[in-house]
Amino acid sequence: MTSKPKNLINQSMKNKIPITPGANLATILATLFLIILPFLVGTWISNYTPYLEGNSFQSYVIIWIVTSIVTVAIALPSFKYFHQSFEKIPVGGILLFLLACPIIGIYGLASAPDLSLKMLEHPEREHFRYSLLFIAEILFAGFILFLFRSELLTIKKSIRWIMTVIFIMVFAEFTWEFTHHYLYPEGLREWLGQGKNADEFGKNYDNFNAITFGSIGRYFQFISIIWLSLYLYKLRQIKIWSPIILILISLLGIVSATLILVTKMNLPKGFEFLFLFFIPGIPFILLYWLGVALVTKFKKSEIQPEKDHAPRAFYSKL
């Protein structure tokens, strides 16, 4: 075991500013603001949602693009400012933070998917919704690749293989589900072209097999989020609030998926609220909050002991 040269330690200490109560308060306020940021921005752009008569779909897309660029342009320099006395920002955390952009776009639509015949007049609205979810999936995949290729992931080979299989299932279900719903208008148009009843299309398209696959996918997705939150907390990359919130909501998601699978989407009266935890955007909201936890978790100003070598090596590669 070797230690750092004395001059390097002294230099490192000079470049670090102690964490003050004021800095802690600023961090807490910044974290709270970032947690609700996509919903604040999404609420604002919901005034331009294409689901309202008179609003242009093209205008909404342009507003979303500009809003996303402004949000990222403001947030990233802020991270750099807050982290000027600490380690570099985790690149993986930024990838999860960028989930704010698709979340803003989906939340700003301010409407559930239109499954009526009117969908055929505006299929681009549903195409856009699921295109945003595809973007979210790509950002999450980038984070997982970054994590598995970094020195931060110091787990047994057997656990690595188990988690690899779980994440493969996560992305397989996401890809199938988003494609399935993206093509809903085309499927409805083909169904009508065959002279079939439009009212029966939904049950045929989203049949028991689709519900089963979606429910199983939610198990893998929420299990992966629980594992990520616990593992990153174990490595002291996030604070305790993150795994508490993520695990509680993930458990509700697992309960929701189980009831939906058992009842075939016919939840008992009084349990309808659990549908909220089954929608495909919920895992990405949790992952965004995990990204917020990563980019707002400052490293202590003291030189860490040798046992923290693995997390520090992770930062030194960035």
Side-chain angles (χ1 to χ4, degrees):
M1 183 180 297
T2 60
S3 59
K4 291 185 179 181
K6 185 175 181 180
N7 61 330
L8 290 180
I9 294 178
N10 291 335
Q11 184 62 35
S12 177
M13 294 297 290
K14 290 179 181 178
N15 292 335
K16 294 178 180 288
I17 301 174
I19 301 176
T20 65
N24 281 330
L25 178 60
T27 301
I28 292 172
L29 294 177
T31 301
L32 292 174
F33 174 74
L34 292 175
I35 286 174
I36 63 174
L37 176 64
F39 309 105
L40 292 176
V41 180
T43 299
W44 176 73
I45 70 170
S46 66
N47 296 313
Y48 307 94
T49 175
Y51 285 93
L52 289 178
E53 291 293 333
N55 285 348
S56 165
F57 170 75
Q58 290 77 11
S59 296
Y60 180 79
V61 174
I62 293 173
I63 291 170
W64 169 75
I65 291 174
V66 173
T67 303
S68 297
I69 292 174
V70 171
T71 300
V72 173
I74 292 175
L76 293 186
S78 298
F79 294 149
K80 182 178 180 181
Y81 170 77
F82 284 126
H83 281 260
Q84 63 182 345
S85 302
F86 304 94
E87 316 293 339
K88 294 182 179 179
I89 305 173
V91 174
I94 294 178
L95 288 173
L96 291 184
F97 172 79
L98 291 177
L99 289 171
C101 298
I103 291 172
I104 288 170
I106 295 171
Y107 192 79
L109 289 173
S111 175
D114 184 354
L115 303 182
S116 67
L117 285 176
K118 193 174 181 180
M119 171 189 285
L120 298 182
E121 300 176 14
H122 301 283
E124 70 280 358
R125 299 188 303 204
E126 306 312 321
H127 289 165
F128 179 68
R129 181 190 305 272
Y130 291 100
S131 295
L132 292 176
L133 287 170
F134 272 121
I135 293 173
E137 179 187 4
I138 292 171
L139 289 170
F140 181 32
F143 169 75
I144 295 303
L145 288 175
F146 176 83
L147 180 65
F148 272 69
R149 294 183 62 184
S150 73
E151 295 179 18
L152 179 64
L153 195 69
T154 54
I155 58 177
K156 295 180 180 179
K157 190 173 182 180
S158 58
I159 301 298
R160 179 183 286 265
W161 276 108
I162 291 173
M163 294 313 303
T164 298
V165 171
I166 288 177
F167 282 116
I168 288 174
M169 293 300 297
V170 166
F171 294 115
E173 196 284 330
F174 273 144
T175 301
W176 171 83
E177 182 176 0
F178 301 159
T179 303
H180 179 74
H181 291 296
Y182 183 94
L183 296 176
Y184 194 100
E186 287 70 22
L188 177 57
R189 185 177 288 109
E190 181 180 352
W191 180 269
L192 294 175
Q194 296 172 358
K196 297 180 180 179
N197 189 342
D199 295 334
E200 298 178 356
F201 174 74
K203 292 182 179 180
N204 178 270
Y205 197 78
D206 291 324
N207 53 32
F208 181 71
N209 290 335
I211 295 173
T212 300
F213 193 45
S215 298
I216 294 174
R218 291 296 181 274
Y219 291 148
F220 286 110
Q221 290 151 16
F222 287 120
I223 288 172
S224 68
I225 291 173
I226 290 174
W227 179 81
L228 281 171
S229 64
L230 289 175
Y231 188 74
L232 291 173
Y233 176 70
K234 178 183 177 182
L235 293 177
R236 295 193 295 176
Q237 300 300 311
I238 56 177
K239 293 184 178 180
I240 189 63
W241 67 265
S242 180
I244 289 176
I245 294 176
L246 269 56
I247 290 173
L248 286 176
I249 298 179
S250 293
L251 290 176
L252 284 172
I254 290 173
V255 170
S256 172
T258 302
L259 287 178
I260 285 174
L261 179 61
V262 171
T263 64
K264 301 180 182 179
M265 295 287 285
N266 297 305
L267 291 179
K269 187 176 181 180
F271 290 88
E272 295 88 352
F273 73 94
L274 288 174
F275 274 120
L276 173 65
F277 300 96
F278 191 75
I279 62 177
I282 292 297
F284 294 114
I285 292 175
L286 299 184
L287 290 167
Y288 167 72
W289 287 343
L290 181 61
V292 171
L294 281 169
V295 299
T296 57
K297 173 61 172 69
F298 299 152
K299 303 295 288 183
K300 292 183 178 179
S301 61
E302 301 86 23
I303 300 298
Q304 297 294 323
E306 192 67 27
K307 65 181 181 181
D308 290 337
H309 175 72
R312 289 178 61 78
F314 164 68
Y315 283 102
S316 66
K317 290 177 63 179
L318 305 181

